[in-house]
Amino acid sequence: MDVIAAIQRRFSVRKYGPYELEDEKLKRVLEAARLAPSARNVQEWRFVVVRDPEMREALVDAANGQQFIGEAPAVIVACAVATEHVMPCGLHCFPIDVAIAMAYMTLAAVEQGLGTCWVGAFNADRVRGLLSIPSDVIVVGLLPIGYPAVEAPPKKRLPLDEIVMQERWRD
Ligand SMILES: Cc1cc2nc3c(=O)[nH]c(=O)nc-3n(C[C@H](O)[C@H](O)[C@H](O)COP(=O)(O)O)c2cc1C
């Protein structure tokens, strides 16, 4: 599958089939994160893979009751261990670096017939507590992963000419 096809096929999967996630497929997804770029190549991402059903249920509670987190056979909890660095542009690196790695994982998942859903609505302290994540480590996102049990809905996106400007900003 080429990259554009994977991007076109990816959607937020909020219903998962009752199938195990093969170790090899999960490893390939995590390898995509490992190879992602990061500012100064710091690679501050760390990933906690949660397969235990009770822990996944606890993550549902820590994430506003979003049930599909418990349905997915695994949840990748994406964290950052070095969070201080600010680029000359004024932005912190860590959310960007971890987001790129997570985006790569979403595409590596699609390539293998899997689905994911980025979950940003969670209580970080509760997730930290559940998974024994130290207080200086930031939890950036949760990524449930498994076999989609729904079809992709049509994509709702702005047209290119509304989001792209040529040569300078135009109102
Ligand atoms: C930073 C971020 C946080 C998100 N948080 C949630 C979430 O907590 N729960 C959820 O169901 N979807 C969440 N989403 C998924 C978005 O709603 C979804 O990507 C968007 O509606 C576009 O739909 P698509 O992914 O199917 O193309 C999040 C996406 C991003 C990028």
Side-chain angles (χ1 to χ4, degrees), residues 10-14 63 66 68 117-122 140 153 155-157:
R10 187 214 57 82
F11 68 102
S12 291
V13 176
R14 300 186 179 91
Q66 299 186 79
F68 60 87
C117 182
W118 185 310
V119 172
F122 60 87
V140 176
K155 283 220 178 291
K156 294 182 193 158
R157 293 296 190 271

